[in-house]
């Protein structure tokens, strides 16, 4: 049973566009929500993370929006660049930050 | 390079053979994790160590799988009597006790 559901499976945007990836979770005990970026042949790398006491967090061009009541969170990539083309995973965990439940991933392609 | 390193990067084996993967974490990290990632899916938690103690194992870790971290430094993941369904990327990650997870580049297993 997938505890974190991610959508869409893939998306294509033009350079400068704002890809938006959505995730939903069921377990209200989750208290840590990171996003990872993965390039082909590489391991996932932490992009940005949020705790449920905050509704929004920005780091550079990446923004997480968090809706605790709806049990949903999303990633926005502002002013997207071709170098942002990668697979993005949302994840969630409770207590121990390292035991993560990952979504299925979203392949983002940013065209020039 | 002081990141998480994994060896080998790619292993091709015949069904029924045993394989072993090695992970060298970031030196000051006391937690070490193993995840499995199949094509088009997010990583799935397998097990984790705090120092040399294996604290949790997923139901995904069948009896054919064994992981060790003998001196609290590097770790090995052995798969006995491999099956085609074991084909996946095996990811190692490390962290401080409550900190960001750093992933290695993974060991890809292909079982023929």
């Amino acid at each position: 049973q997938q505890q974190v559901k991610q959508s869409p499976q893939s998306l294509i945007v033009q350079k400068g566009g704002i890809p938006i990836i959505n995730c939903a979770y069921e377990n209200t005990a989750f208290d840590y929500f990171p996003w990872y970026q993965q390039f082909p042949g590489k391991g996932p790398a932490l992009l940005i993370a949020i705790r449920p006491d905050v509704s929004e967090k920005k780091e550079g061009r990446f923004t997480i929006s968090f809706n605790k009541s709806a049990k949903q969170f999303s990633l926005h990539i502002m002013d997207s660049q071709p170098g942002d083309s990668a697979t993005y995973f949302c994840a969630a965990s409770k207590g121990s930050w390292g035991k993560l439940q990952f979504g299925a991933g979203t392949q983002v392609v940013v065209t020039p | 390079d002081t990141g998480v390193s994994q060896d080998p990067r790619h292993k091709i084996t015949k069904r029924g053979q045993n394989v072993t993967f090695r992970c060298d974490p970031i030196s000051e990290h006391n937690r070490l994790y193993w995840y499995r990632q199949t094509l088009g899916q997010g990583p799935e938690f397998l097990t984790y160590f705090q120092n040399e103690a294996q604290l949790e194992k997923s139901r995904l870790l069948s009896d054919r799988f064994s992981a060790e971290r003998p001196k609290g430094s590097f770790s090995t993941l052995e798969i006995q009597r491999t099956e085609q369904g074991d084909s996946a990327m095996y990811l190692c990650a490390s962290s401080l006790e409550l900190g960001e997870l750093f992933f290695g580049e993974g060991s890809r297993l292909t079982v023929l």
Side-chain angles (χ1 to χ4, degrees):
Chain A
Q1 182 182 1
Q2 195 172 21
Q3 295 196 42
V4 179
K5 295 184 179 179
Q6 183 172 346
S7 63
Q9 189 173 11
S10 64
L11 61 93
I12 301 173
V13 297
Q14 288 189 331
K15 178 182 174 181
I18 306 176
I20 300 173
I21 307 168
N22 300 298
C23 285
Y25 64 97
E26 289 298 322
N27 190 342
T28 55
F30 286 149
D31 58 6
Y32 176 64
F33 303 89
W35 285 88
Y36 281 81
Q37 179 188 56
Q38 186 175 31
F39 294 105
K42 301 291 186 181
L46 180 66
L47 205 55
I48 185 173
I50 198 168
R51 301 297 297 269
D53 53 348
V54 176
S55 61
E56 185 177 275
K57 183 175 181 180
K58 295 182 181 181
E59 285 188 6
R61 296 183 293 106
F62 300 93
T63 298
I64 298 179
S65 297
F66 187 85
N67 186 329
K68 187 175 180 178
S69 60
K71 293 186 288 185
Q72 295 177 346
F73 57 111
S74 61
L75 177 71
H76 296 58
I77 306 175
M78 307 302 182
D79 186 28
S80 59
Q81 302 296 313
D84 295 330
S85 297
T87 300
Y88 293 82
F89 293 95
C90 62
S93 72
K94 55 181 179 179
S96 169
W97 286 9
K99 185 185 174 186
L100 296 167
Q101 298 284 342
F102 280 86
T106 297
Q107 186 173 17
V108 173
V109 175
V110 182
T111 61
Chain B
D1 189 310
T2 57
V4 178
S5 64
Q6 295 189 243
D7 184 72
R9 293 292 313 280
H10 195 181
K11 178 73 175 179
I12 301 173
T13 191
K14 294 182 179 180
R15 188 176 56 185
Q17 298 294 304
N18 298 344
V19 296
T20 299
F21 301 115
R22 176 182 169 120
C23 171
D24 287 273
I26 294 171
S27 58
E28 62 267 28
H29 286 180
N30 58 350
R31 286 194 173 183
L32 185 147
Y33 302 82
W34 286 99
Y35 280 79
R36 180 173 70 186
Q37 185 177 24
T38 53
L39 202 61
Q41 297 297 318
E44 296 173 294
F45 170 81
L46 292 178
T47 187
Y48 92 96
F49 294 82
Q50 179 148 324
N51 301 312
E52 66 275 10
Q54 188 173 17
L55 296 186
E56 191 167 346
K57 294 194 291 186
S58 162
R59 290 174 299 169
L60 295 174
L61 215 62
S62 75
D63 291 345
R64 296 183 297 104
F65 289 71
S66 63
E68 294 183 344
R69 193 181 183 197
K71 295 182 180 179
S73 56
F74 73 92
S75 175
T76 58
L77 178 68
E78 181 183 17
I79 309 173
Q80 296 182 328
R81 305 181 303 281
T82 52
E83 302 173 356
Q84 288 187 325
D86 297 331
S87 295
M89 176 77 83
Y90 291 87
L91 292 163
C92 177
S94 70
S95 75
L96 295 171
E97 187 154 335
L98 286 178
E100 173 186 345
L101 219 58
F102 290 84
F103 281 89
E105 296 194 334
S107 293
R108 180 168 295 283
L109 173 65
T110 302
V111 181
L112 302 176

